Amino acid sequence: MVDVYRVPHVFPALLCALMLQASVPQHIVAQAGTGSSTGSGTSPGSTESNPAELPDSPASILSRSRAMASHAQAVTLLEKALPRSGSLKPWFLLELVIRTASSDKWKESLGWAELMDVGSFPEEIADASVWWKSEALRQNGKPDSSAALLLSRLETGKSSEPAVYLAYFRTGSSRSEEVLARFDASFPSIKHTDPGSYYASRYLAGLCAVREADWEFALSVLTRFSETAGSYLSDYQSWASAYRAYSLYRLGRFDQSAAAFSLFLDTWKLHPYGWQAAMTGALASVQAGGDPLPFTDQALNRAPNGASYAEAAILRASILADRKDFDRAEAILKGVADGSATKSRTAFAPRALFMLGEIAARTHRPELAEQQWTALASSWPKDPLAEEAVFRAGENWYIAGNLPRALSLFTRYRQTWISGKYLDLVLRNGGDAHSRTGATDLAILWWEDLVRKYPDSSAIPRAYSELVAAYRKKHEYEAAIWTAQQYRKTFPEEATLDDMDAEIATLTKLKNGENPSSASLYVDWTRASRASTSSGRALGLRLARTYLEDYSKRGEAAAVLAEIAAEMPAKTDRLSGPEKNTYAAVWSLLGNLHREDGDYAQASKDLLTAGMLYASTDGERAAEALYGAVDCFLQSGKSADARSAADTLESSWPDSVWTRRAILLIETTLKDKGV
């Protein structure tokens, strides 16, 4: 928030006094006209025996120009008489740079300065030449070139003017501590002989350190300046205080930073940087665990314009929303969204509207959330938030279970942002929504698009598995086999966990007209020693799933699953990935059977076990199992256990749709019960 490149003033008295009146040494004047600068010779004893006294000699012209009050007249005279070479050319160029700069003609001044080869200039004017050329560069928007020129002069070790050091600190962004040490070594008595320049060096070196991001040195030198400068440069104490507080913030000392910003705001109530200080103080307070609202109040009161007010309002509303003080947050955001609080709509209006949609979603008003988000996309279609707004509107309905509304918005997203950053999630969730609403053909199309466009997405293994199941459901066995083989080839580990080898074998039988009935699976299971072997447990899981396709055989399915579950060791950390997945699937199916039967206590235990096993192999399925546990806990009145499971979801899988569904389910259920 603090503008680390700002220097409030130029220190004109400190930086320019010597430079404006650089005089011409007499030995140079005496030699003028005797060399190539005049272009002609003289004979001894003639009236031209002392060329420096001639009215048209370069030395005389230079002296006359300095006596002129008019900068324009001086420039005209100097420009006409500018020597092509010779010892006085550097003096002419320097005078031209100074005169044009003094008329605020900085572009013209830089033009003359570019002709200066300051590295070869006489030492008498080397510091002045470097200073004025660097200032011309700075005034023409070239601070980096200005700083580089000044630093190159300082590195020669020949500079004898504090103003050159101060000018470097004013524009430089590196080696602040090193250059200040060189300054102190070059002028060991300056604190007593020129205290103004001494304290200016502390302050400006601090700003240089801030630009350099050397926060420790910035804090150290600005603290020394604040504590020792006394009456010197009192106008800059406020700025030193602000940058000191900012350095503390960047060092992560948030409690100290908040205190420093609070002191700054209380001490300099009308400071032009009050708004930035209040905003950064609020952020520091948030990080320190304090109360940032007093800072946001000050930011609103000190905002210099509508855009700054809107930014402060957004920050305040974010803090209130995090505290679930939605009514106050909503009231602030409405004024920013419609422009009533800022006299007209600002660039922050889309952000305010987006946040209004978030609040509506969090307070279970999906219709209003969709209205706010789609209004944003319609009013500001090119704003970066427009894309996310449409996605979030669709996702919100998907989480809430209104799949037709979700699909409508997901389709709008696909048509508008054909390569959008949320397209993989839209295709994944949209395919699932089509599948769950019976539109298997559309689900296949969306998932195929997902696999084709995002081959490296973390959602692809699950998409492959669902595609195989969708093709099988449609009796498209060749497509199912090809997809399963691609899955096994592209993601061998995940395919193994999903037992794709056995799936391909089954699909091959189906393709050949064979019917792998539960009876034949039962025989295979028995031959594999049932639940006592790894292969037997995998076959038993397939047998149970086959039983579950026939509702009348749910009892047989439950018996097979229970037999497998009973074989799971107490310590599962040594189980292989496929073994963990088999047990996880068994406990998940058992949990859902108990859930359907209304035995929520047992179902919650089963699903927690499934989530624990899936956690190391399939995060999305782990999240899905824990969501089921949350639902069971709520159904049985165990809200504390539900919250605990939801906390695990938030900490382990914060971006999962199952996490957001769990949070929504808890909030909705407890609200309905008046809790």
Side-chain angles (χ1 to χ4, degrees):
M1 298 299 177
V2 177
D3 183 355
V4 299
Y5 292 96
R6 178 183 173 91
V7 178
H9 298 289
V10 187
F11 297 102
L14 295 172
L15 298 179
C16 305
L18 171 74
M19 308 308 176
L20 285 169
Q21 293 297 326
S23 60
V24 184
Q26 287 302 307
H27 73 277
I28 295 292
V29 175
Q31 295 171 8
T34 61
S36 59
S37 62
T38 63
S40 62
T42 58
S43 58
S46 70
T47 57
E48 297 179 351
S49 60
N50 187 359
E53 296 179 359
L54 295 178
D56 293 331
S57 69
S60 296
I61 291 172
L62 189 60
S63 296
R64 281 165 49 204
S65 74
R66 292 192 165 196
M68 291 179 175
S70 169
H71 295 308
Q73 291 178 1
V75 169
T76 300
L77 178 63
L78 290 164
E79 188 174 1
K80 287 182 179 180
L82 177 65
R84 293 182 179 179
S85 60
S87 58
L88 280 183
K89 184 176 180 179
W91 301 85
F92 269 75
L93 289 174
L94 175 58
E95 192 69 18
L96 282 164
V97 171
I98 294 173
R99 285 289 192 167
T100 49
S102 299
S103 303
D104 285 329
K105 296 180 179 179
W106 286 104
K107 186 174 182 180
E108 186 177 343
S109 180
L110 181 59
W112 292 115
E114 295 289 7
L115 299 176
M116 301 167 69
D117 181 11
V118 295
S120 62
F121 271 30
E123 274 302 310
E124 295 95 327
I125 59 170
D127 280 334
S129 300
V130 167
W131 191 94
W132 280 104
K133 184 173 182 178
S134 72
E135 183 63 9
L137 287 165
R138 190 187 73 82
Q139 292 283 355
N140 281 276
K142 300 179 179 180
D144 292 342
S145 297
S146 173
L149 176 63
L150 290 160
L151 186 59
S152 66
R153 172 61 180 169
L154 297 176
E155 286 176 334
T156 66
K158 297 178 181 180
S159 179
S160 60
E161 289 302 333
V164 177
Y165 285 86
L166 299 183
Y168 173 73
F169 288 138
R170 186 170 185 271
T171 57
S173 58
S174 65
R175 299 166 62 178
S176 51
E177 187 172 8
E178 174 192 335
V179 175
L180 185 61
R182 187 191 293 267
F183 176 92
D184 290 340
S186 299
F187 312 106
S189 303
I190 195 170
K191 184 174 182 180
H192 305 290
T193 59
D194 185 2
S197 292
Y198 172 79
Y199 288 113
S201 70
R202 308 301 106 168
Y203 173 72
L204 290 173
L207 297 195
C208 183
V210 169
R211 290 191 295 272
E212 184 182 355
D214 186 347
W215 306 112
E216 286 286 4
F217 182 64
L219 176 62
S220 172
V221 72
L222 289 170
T223 299
R224 291 201 302 273
F225 170 81
S226 297
E227 293 175 350
T228 63
S231 60
Y232 290 100
L233 303 175
S234 57
D235 289 346
Y236 303 105
Q237 285 287 355
S238 60
W239 294 98
S241 176
Y243 288 122
R244 181 180 176 278
Y246 185 68
S247 298
L248 285 165
Y249 177 80
R250 294 302 299 267
L251 285 167
R253 302 176 194 174
F254 300 118
D255 52 346
Q256 296 177 53
S257 177
F261 276 121
S262 182
L263 177 62
F264 168 82
L265 292 166
D266 290 344
T267 306
W268 292 283
K269 297 184 181 298
L270 300 177
H271 198 277
Y273 255 32
W275 177 81
Q276 290 92 335
M279 291 289 284
T280 314
L283 297 177
S285 184
V286 169
Q287 295 288 343
D291 183 6
L293 292 181
F295 282 108
T296 61
D297 287 339
Q298 294 218 47
L300 290 171
N301 292 332
R302 293 171 183 249
N305 50 51
S308 297
Y309 183 94
E311 188 174 354
I314 293 285
L315 177 58
R316 183 174 177 81
S318 299
I319 294 165
L320 290 170
D322 287 343
R323 296 180 177 184
K324 297 187 178 180
D325 190 346
F326 298 120
D327 290 343
R328 290 168 67 192
E330 205 166 27
I332 293 172
L333 292 168
K334 285 179 179 177
V336 177
D338 61 20
S340 60
T342 52
K343 296 184 180 179
S344 63
R345 278 180 162 178
T346 68
F348 292 94
R351 168 61 65 182
L353 202 52
F354 186 86
M355 291 176 65
L356 284 169
E358 287 185 314
I359 289 174
R362 292 179 66 183
T363 52
H364 317 302
R365 293 174 289 170
E367 294 276 0
L368 179 59
E370 179 185 347
Q371 177 185 331
Q372 304 284 28
W373 280 327
T374 54
L376 189 165
S378 298
S379 299
W380 292 278
K382 296 187 181 300
D383 190 280
L385 286 171
E387 178 185 355
E388 185 177 357
V390 173
F391 166 68
R392 291 286 297 278
E395 183 190 48
N396 194 48
W397 283 119
Y398 175 71
I399 291 170
N402 191 327
L403 301 182
R405 293 285 286 270
L407 283 168
S408 174
L409 289 157
F410 285 154
T411 300
R412 174 179 172 179
Y413 182 96
R414 285 191 71 188
Q415 293 170 345
T416 308
W417 294 279
I418 57 175
S419 300
K421 62 181 177 180
Y422 302 104
L423 185 58
D424 57 338
L425 293 173
V426 165
L427 293 171
R428 167 71 184 86
N429 296 338
D432 179 60
H434 278 306
S435 178
R436 288 163 61 190
T437 54
T440 307
D441 287 334
L442 287 173
I444 288 173
L445 288 174
W446 284 50
W447 284 330
E448 284 180 338
D449 205 17
L450 172 65
V451 169
R452 182 173 59 257
K453 291 181 175 177
Y454 301 95
D456 298 323
S457 170
S458 60
I460 296 303
R462 189 73 179 268
Y464 267 125
S465 179
E466 288 168 334
L467 262 175
V468 170
Y471 283 130
R472 179 174 176 175
K473 184 177 181 180
K474 294 286 294 181
H475 305 295
E476 297 179 13
Y477 301 122
E478 285 191 9
I481 292 170
W482 184 88
T483 303
Q485 289 172 338
Q486 286 298 112
Y487 182 19
R488 188 173 59 181
K489 176 182 177 182
T490 310
F491 298 96
E493 185 176 340
E494 290 85 347
T496 299
L497 294 175
D498 277 338
D499 201 10
M500 275 299 116
D501 287 341
E503 181 67 19
I504 290 171
T506 299
L507 288 167
T508 302
K509 290 181 179 179
L510 291 169
K511 175 189 172 185
N512 295 331
E514 302 176 34
N515 184 14
S517 65
S518 58
S520 62
L521 282 173
Y522 184 87
V523 171
D524 292 340
W525 181 48
T526 302
R527 287 174 177 170
S529 301
R530 298 171 68 101
S532 61
T533 64
S534 176
S535 59
R537 288 188 287 273
L539 283 167
L541 176 59
R542 296 185 63 78
L543 174 60
R545 283 173 170 161
T546 303
Y547 280 144
L548 287 172
E549 293 175 2
D550 182 351
Y551 188 82
S552 66
K553 294 186 177 181
R554 290 173 77 254
E556 288 92 328
V560 172
L561 293 170
E563 184 176 339
I564 297 172
E567 291 293 325
M568 190 178 79
K571 293 183 179 180
T572 59
D573 53 315
R574 293 186 179 180
L575 290 174
S576 67
E579 275 281 84
K580 280 187 179 180
N581 249 33
T582 296
Y583 281 122
V586 165
W587 285 108
S588 181
L589 291 172
L590 277 173
N592 285 319
L593 284 172
H594 288 128
R595 189 175 172 191
E596 291 169 6
D597 292 338
D599 187 355
Y600 298 116
Q602 186 58 50
S604 61
K605 293 178 183 178
D606 295 342
L607 291 168
L608 284 176
T609 302
M612 178 268 294
L613 291 165
Y614 271 135
S616 61
T617 62
D618 192 328
E620 194 64 13
R621 285 178 177 151
E624 184 178 358
L626 286 184
Y627 167 81
V630 168
D631 180 41
C632 292
F633 283 133
L634 291 173
Q635 294 285 357
S636 56
K638 298 179 179 179
S639 58
D641 290 335
R643 286 196 180 98
S644 177
D647 288 343
T648 301
L649 278 167
E650 283 195 279
S651 61
S652 301
W653 302 282
D655 297 324
S656 171
V657 68
W658 296 106
T659 300
R660 282 171 282 194
R661 280 179 174 167
I663 293 169
L664 178 62
L665 182 63
I666 290 173
E667 291 178 349
T668 304
T669 302
L670 297 184
K671 182 181 178 182
D672 291 342
K673 293 181 179 180
V675 179

